[in-house]
Amino acid sequence: LQERTRSLLQLGVERLYSAGAVTVYGLPEFRVLGLGYCGLVVLARWQGRLVALKVRRPDAGKLSLAQEARWLGMANQSGIGPRYIAHTPNFLLMSYLAGEDLLSWVTCRAAAGDAARVQQVLGQLLEAGFRLDQLGLDHGNLRCVTQHAIVQGDAQAVQGYLGGCDRVQLIDFSAASLKRRAANVTTLAQGLWISTAIARVVNQLFPVHKAALIERLRAYKQGRDRLRFEHLRELVLQSKG
C-alpha cells in the first residue's frame, strides 16, 4: 500500500473519487468506472482535472500495465481510445471519457427512430477497427464491443478524434496484441450484426442478409484495404427503412 501510494504521488494524482456505475464488494459507497480481470478503473484528479486511473489488481495474471500502456499509446496515434498520460507497473493514467455505454446509447436512439445518429456512430466504430487493422494491433475484446465502447455526446466530444457530433471511443486494450492477425473490423461486424444483444437492435435499423455479410467479410480478410472496407461498410450501414 505504501509503495502504491508513493507511485500515485509520483504520477501527480491528487485525489481519488468513488464514482461510476460499478460497485466493488457490493458496497454502494465504493463505486468505480469499470472492473475487469486485470484491474479496476477509478475516477481521479490529476493536475486539477478529472482523469481515469486504471489500477492493477494484485491477483491479476499480468505483473505490469506497461504493455497495455504501450498498446493504448499506439492506438492514440490513430485517434483511438482515451488519451494516454502516464503509467507505472501498477497504474495507467488516461483521459476520462464521460458518456454512455454503446448498447444503452444505440437502444435509446433506435427507440427514437434516429437511424442517422446510429449510422454515424457505427460508422465511426468500424473506422476505428479499420485503423487498428492497419496498425496490425488486434484489440482482442471487440466481440463484446458493448463493454468496450463509450459514446460521447456533442458536449462531451474531444476535439481531434474521430469526427461527428457523437463520438464513440474504444476502451480497455488489456487484451490487445501485435502477435495475432488483426481482425478488428471482422470481429466488430460479426458482433454488431450477428447473434448478440446489440445485433437485434442494430438489425432493426440496418438489416443485413447474413450470407451477403459473410461474403464481404471474406473479401475484406483477403485484402484489408480501404476499398474492401468501404464495400463492407456500405453494405451494413445502408438503412432499409
Side-chain angles (χ1 to χ4, degrees):
L1 181 60
Q2 291 175 343
E3 179 185 351
R4 290 194 173 206
T5 301
R6 283 195 298 269
S7 293
L8 286 176
L9 293 174
Q10 290 171 359
L11 285 172
V13 174
E14 300 162 350
R15 186 171 182 177
L16 303 179
Y17 297 94
S18 175
V22 182
T23 58
V24 181
Y25 304 123
L27 302 174
E29 66 273 16
F30 188 7
R31 308 188 73 85
V32 298
L33 301 176
L35 178 64
Y37 294 111
C38 295
L40 53 85
V41 181
V42 300
L43 187 65
R45 187 174 66 196
W46 174 79
Q47 295 189 356
R49 61 189 176 97
L50 293 179
V51 296
L53 177 72
K54 184 163 188 176
V55 182
R56 188 185 70 84
R57 289 171 51 162
D59 60 346
K62 296 182 179 181
L63 299 178
S64 173
L65 295 177
Q67 191 79 286
E68 182 177 349
R70 178 191 172 194
W71 303 145
L72 178 59
M74 189 175 181
N76 282 175
Q77 294 173 18
S78 291
I80 298 168
R83 294 178 187 270
Y84 165 82
I85 297 174
H87 77 279
T88 70
N90 291 316
F91 300 107
L92 172 56
L93 202 59
M94 51 199 155
S95 64
Y96 168 54
L97 302 180
E100 294 181 70
D101 68 272
L102 183 65
L103 179 58
S104 298
W105 188 90
V106 169
T107 301
C108 181
R109 300 310 176 276
D114 200 343
R117 289 180 71 182
V118 177
Q119 183 184 52
Q120 180 194 58
V121 161
L122 296 185
Q124 288 181 37
L125 199 54
L126 291 171
E127 174 68 26
F130 178 70
R131 294 186 187 185
L132 289 177
D133 281 352
Q134 297 304 296
L135 290 173
L137 181 64
D138 188 63
H139 183 281
N141 275 322
L142 296 186
R143 178 65 177 170
C144 299
V145 65
T146 53
Q147 300 176 26
H148 298 91
I150 293 177
V151 183
Q152 300 175 280
D154 189 26
Q156 301 164 325
V158 179
Q159 293 295 323
Y161 273 46
L162 297 175
C165 292
D166 298 297
R167 312 284 180 97
V168 63
Q169 282 293 358
L170 295 175
I171 60 173
D172 189 2
F173 286 79
S174 59
S177 176
L178 287 173
K179 296 180 180 178
R180 297 188 301 268
R181 178 178 171 82
N184 299 289
V185 169
T186 53
T187 306
L188 276 170
Q190 291 168 355
L192 290 170
W193 274 273
I194 301 176
S195 304
T196 60
I198 196 171
R200 290 190 287 274
V201 181
V202 170
N203 271 295
Q204 293 175 5
L205 297 176
F206 310 105
V208 176
H209 194 277
K210 186 176 179 180
L213 175 58
I214 291 174
E215 180 183 348
R216 297 205 187 183
L217 286 174
R218 284 175 178 165
Y220 177 76
K221 287 179 182 178
Q222 292 173 0
R224 296 175 296 174
D225 54 47
R226 172 61 71 174
L227 182 61
R228 286 184 173 91
F229 169 69
E230 293 297 346
H231 199 212
L232 170 64
R233 183 158 63 172
E234 181 183 22
L235 170 71
V236 295
L237 291 181
Q238 197 156 41
S239 174
K240 304 298 190 297

